[in-house]
Amino acid sequence: MPEITKEAPPATPSSRSASALVLDDLLALGPAELAVLYTQASTPALAEVAGDLRGRMLATTVLRGLPAQLARAWASSERFVWRGKSFAPRAAAEGEGINRVIDDRLRLFRFETFIGPSRAGPFEALQLDYDLPSNPFFIRAIKDELRELRPGLWLGQAYLRARGRETLVLYFGLTSAGQ
């Protein structure tokens, strides 16, 4: 299990319940608030996470101050290159997917999906494994996880494996089309 440094989370991450949140609401939350939502979320079935999902990078855990603010502002803009992820379940226990960038037509960095132990706590999450021969070495070191906040809205964590340990580097959100 990777080492994860945890801060005590706030008692409530938002004045709105998770069932009322939309993807853009998550942009206003910091890493500690997103961590609370993540642990309170549920593990989605692979069949529930299918098709082209709209994505947003929400918060970085490795940048501070002005660099973090600039990254968040860029991620909130229409100029941000990452558009989301596309998922294709192959069976109840496994699937695959790919990232969409620039204008949704460019698809890069394939991943495989399965349900497995979360790096964030004693629960399971939908795992996205990029360690595939078709991906460049720096992408193969990424491990994403997803948990469901409500039907059609997912919160993800991205980990980077370096020097034998995995570090949480950012939070991202995904939503179904039309939400």
Side-chain angles (χ1 to χ4, degrees):
M1 205 46 113
E3 268 185 52
I4 300 174
T5 305
K6 295 185 181 179
E7 295 177 19
T12 176
S14 170
S15 59
R16 296 175 69 182
S17 72
S19 63
L21 290 171
V22 296
L23 181 60
D24 287 344
D25 292 333
L26 301 176
L27 285 166
L29 304 177
E33 294 167 309
L34 293 167
V36 171
L37 284 176
Y38 192 80
T39 59
Q40 294 172 346
S42 61
T43 305
L46 266 70
E48 296 169 348
V49 185
D52 292 345
L53 303 182
R54 183 174 148 241
R56 290 272 195 200
M57 188 193 91
L58 302 172
T60 177
T61 61
V62 294
L63 299 176
R64 304 278 185 258
L66 183 59
Q69 292 171 358
L70 292 172
R72 182 176 279 215
W74 183 43
S76 301
S77 78
E78 287 301 314
R79 293 179 185 210
F80 194 63
V81 296
W82 182 65
R83 297 295 185 205
K85 296 179 185 291
S86 298
F87 291 84
R90 292 191 299 244
E94 64 181 35
E96 63 185 357
I98 198 158
N99 285 275
R100 297 187 325 279
V101 296
I102 312 290
D103 64 2
D104 281 316
R105 290 178 290 183
L106 183 57
R107 294 173 183 245
L108 298 171
F109 312 129
R110 200 171 75 75
F111 52 85
E112 293 185 345
T113 60
F114 58 93
I115 302 296
S118 174
R119 294 158 184 83
F123 45 80
E124 291 190 321
L126 175 60
Q127 302 293 320
L128 286 64
D129 185 359
Y130 291 87
D131 193 6
L132 303 171
S134 61
N135 289 330
F137 75 93
F138 55 92
I139 297 298
R140 293 180 73 167
I142 297 171
K143 304 290 185 200
D144 289 348
E145 297 186 4
L146 276 184
R147 305 239 323 141
E148 186 176 62
L149 295 173
R150 64 164 176 75
L153 181 63
W154 298 271
L155 180 58
Q157 294 183 328
Y159 290 82
L160 179 63
R161 185 180 59 238
R163 296 186 182 113
R165 64 179 265 195
E166 292 176 328
T167 303
L168 175 62
V169 294
L170 64 85
Y171 283 90
F172 62 94
L174 295 169
T175 192
S176 303
Q179 290 200 29

